[in-house]
């Protein structure tokens, strides 16, 4: 059930930014939607800094994101930093290897390119190293999870019932990259489990990733949170607003106006009079009126509409 949902015991949601740049309108939407959904359940809202990809990180981005959250009136306990949990991720990777659910891979990108099929989310790994990696050319530094030819299903709270054949549609996916860094898919399920997250609220661009995450949860016997994927915000060029598309940094001096715009974008129809309301009044209005059901089935929305 979405909409004016009753309080659920122990509801825990989270916002998990990667410090690859400052907070922009698209990531503000993710923060606002997950925050209001947690508030509607009288639950907890946690912030998790996904800082496990140093080559993509921008120095100072974590502090800048947290400053923006504070300026917009978000309240949260001390954030969790993924960079402090590398040993945990390594031991989960070893567990999957020991159980035969994962294997080491020595393929280079180039080799995969040459033989792979292209799926919706990129190349589908052809399974070359499934029965043992060929280490005569290079060491097997990456680790892949073995997928199966079975249909995985889940019901998204906004997008309805979804299914995917992991082996055919995505292929054996990486949990440790060739450069030794832990992949997002593994770190995220480790933390959703450790923090006992009950509902994941995030952008629809992570829908495909959800199947990989559910598969890992099943292999590791973890709980499966509920999922709500809301549309992504696009610019006037219809491209998703992201750090990669140079989405502008949110202006902390215009926090109330940003929140108003975010609520409008989320189809919550804030009254015009709220345009000049204080941050506190806007949050109060949003908490009382939050109704994500109006976004059911929508995939993207342009900014400023
Ligand atoms: N770190 C991801 C991002 O910034 C979000 C991950 C998640 O919510 O699971 O896009």
């Amino acid at each position: 059930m979405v909409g004016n949902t009753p309080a659920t015991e122990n509801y825990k949601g989270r916002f998990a930014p990667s410090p690859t740049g400052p907070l922009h309108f698209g990531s503000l939407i993710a923060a606002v939607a997950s925050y209001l959904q947690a508030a509607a359940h009288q639950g907890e809202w946690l912030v998790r800094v996904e800082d496990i990809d140093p080559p993509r990180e921008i120095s100072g981005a974590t502090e800048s994101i947290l400053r923006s959250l504070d300026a917009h009136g978000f309240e949260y306990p001390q954030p969790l930093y993924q960079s402090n949990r590398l040993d945990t991720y390594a031991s989960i990777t070893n567990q999957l290897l020991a159980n035969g659910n994962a294997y080491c891979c020595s393929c280079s990108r180039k080799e995969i390119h040459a033989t792979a099929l292209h799926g919706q989310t990129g190349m589908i790994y052809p399974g070359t190293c499934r029965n043992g990696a060929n280490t005569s050319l290079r060491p097997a530094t990456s680790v892949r999870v073995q997928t199966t030819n079975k249909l995985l299903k889940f019901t998204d709270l906004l997008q309805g019932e979804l299914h995917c054949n992991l082996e055919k549609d995505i292929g054996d996916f990486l949990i440790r990259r060739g450069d030794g860094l832990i992949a997002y898919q593994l770190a995220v399920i480790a933390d959703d489990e450790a923090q006992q997250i009950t509902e994941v609220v995030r952008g629809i661009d992570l829908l495909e990733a959800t199947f990989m995450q559910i598969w890992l949860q099943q292999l590791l016997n973890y709980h499966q949170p509920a999922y709500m994927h809301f549309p992504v915000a696009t610019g006037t060029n219809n491209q998703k607003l992201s750090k990669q598309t140079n989405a502008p940094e949110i202006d902390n001096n215009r926090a109330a106006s940003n929140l108003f715009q975010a609520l409008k974008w989320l189809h919550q129809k804030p009254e015009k009079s709220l345009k000049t309301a204080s941050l506190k009044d806007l949050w109060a209005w949003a908490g009382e009126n939050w109704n994500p059901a109006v976004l059911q089935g929508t995939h993207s929305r342009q900014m400023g509409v």
Side-chain angles (χ1 to χ4, degrees):
M1 176 182 167
V2 285
N4 293 323
T5 351
T8 310
E9 238 180 291
N10 302 325
Y11 179 103
K12 271 195 187 176
R14 80 323 186 260
F15 173 55
S18 307
T20 49
L23 202 73
H24 55 77
F25 188 73
S27 39
L28 178 69
I29 296 281
V32 171
S34 55
Y35 193 76
L36 288 172
Q37 187 64 3
H41 290 83
Q42 289 157 41
E44 269 186 85
W45 185 74
L46 308 177
V47 174
R48 180 194 303 156
V49 179
E50 300 204 325
D51 54 349
I52 47 162
D53 193 353
R56 288 185 57 228
E57 283 159 25
I58 306 266
S59 149
T62 297
E63 296 71 21
S64 157
I65 292 170
L66 298 179
R67 252 196 324 271
S68 289
L69 291 179
D70 296 342
H72 286 79
F74 290 90
E75 288 175 10
Y76 50 96
Q78 191 59 25
L80 177 103
Y81 289 84
Q82 288 195 325
S83 54
N84 290 336
R85 293 188 28 88
L86 298 181
D87 289 348
T88 303
Y89 306 144
S91 83
I92 298 170
T93 304
N94 288 337
Q95 184 188 342
L96 287 164
L97 281 168
N99 292 347
N101 297 133
Y103 58 88
C104 294
C105 170
S106 61
C107 295
S108 68
R109 277 193 143 268
K110 222 175 169 183
E111 285 163 354
I112 300 172
H113 245 295
T115 47
L117 289 170
H118 287 261
Q120 289 161 350
T121 50
M123 290 185 293
I124 302 174
Y125 180 68
T128 321
C129 292
R130 258 192 187 187
N131 301 316
N134 175 0
T135 51
S136 60
L137 287 174
R138 71 186 74 78
T141 48
S142 51
V143 176
R144 289 181 184 276
V145 170
Q146 186 136 351
T147 53
T148 54
N149 185 5
K150 89 171 196 196
L151 214 56
L152 272 190
K153 280 192 206 157
F154 78 96
T155 303
D156 187 88
L157 292 171
L158 286 181
Q159 310 300 337
E161 192 180 299
L162 300 160
H163 48 82
C164 166
N165 179 315
L166 266 189
E167 189 177 40
K168 285 202 181 122
D169 300 337
I170 292 177
D172 296 351
F173 57 92
L174 287 171
I175 50 170
R176 189 175 73 204
R177 299 176 354 193
D179 56 9
L181 293 175
I182 288 295
Y184 155 70
Q185 312 297 354
L186 185 103
V188 81
I189 56 105
D191 295 344
D192 285 341
E193 174 73 9
Q195 297 187 297
Q196 289 293 300
I197 299 300
T198 57
E199 191 174 284
V200 172
V201 179
R202 60 186 176 193
I204 204 170
D205 51 319
L206 288 165
L207 210 53
E208 295 282 339
T210 307
F211 289 108
M212 299 184 235
Q213 292 166 22
I214 289 176
W215 180 233
L216 283 170
Q217 285 155 358
Q218 290 183 0
L219 293 175
L220 291 159
N221 237 342
Y222 287 178
H223 84 288
Q224 182 182 317
Y227 288 97
M228 176 184 280
H229 288 88
F230 56 85
V232 291
T234 57
T236 39
N237 53 2
N238 265 340
Q239 267 192 330
K240 179 194 161 212
L241 292 181
S242 72
K243 290 135 196 171
Q244 287 74 29
T245 56
N246 292 322
E249 177 173 359
I250 209 91
D251 179 356
N252 292 341
N253 296 319
R254 295 173 50 83
S257 156
N258 296 334
L259 180 56
F260 179 86
Q261 290 305 332
L263 293 169
K264 208 171 141 207
W265 187 92
L266 285 161
H267 250 316
Q268 301 303 300
K269 303 202 164 59
E271 297 129 32
K272 276 211 172 91
S273 60
L274 288 167
K275 244 183 166 163
T276 49
S278 68
L279 207 46
K280 198 169 157 246
D281 288 349
L282 265 175
W283 276 122
W285 180 90
E288 270 167 38
N289 293 281
W290 174 239
N291 179 16
V294 293
L295 292 166
Q296 223 134 28
T298 312
H299 288 190
S300 70
R301 263 170 76 67
Q302 233 177 54
M303 202 184 149
V305 288

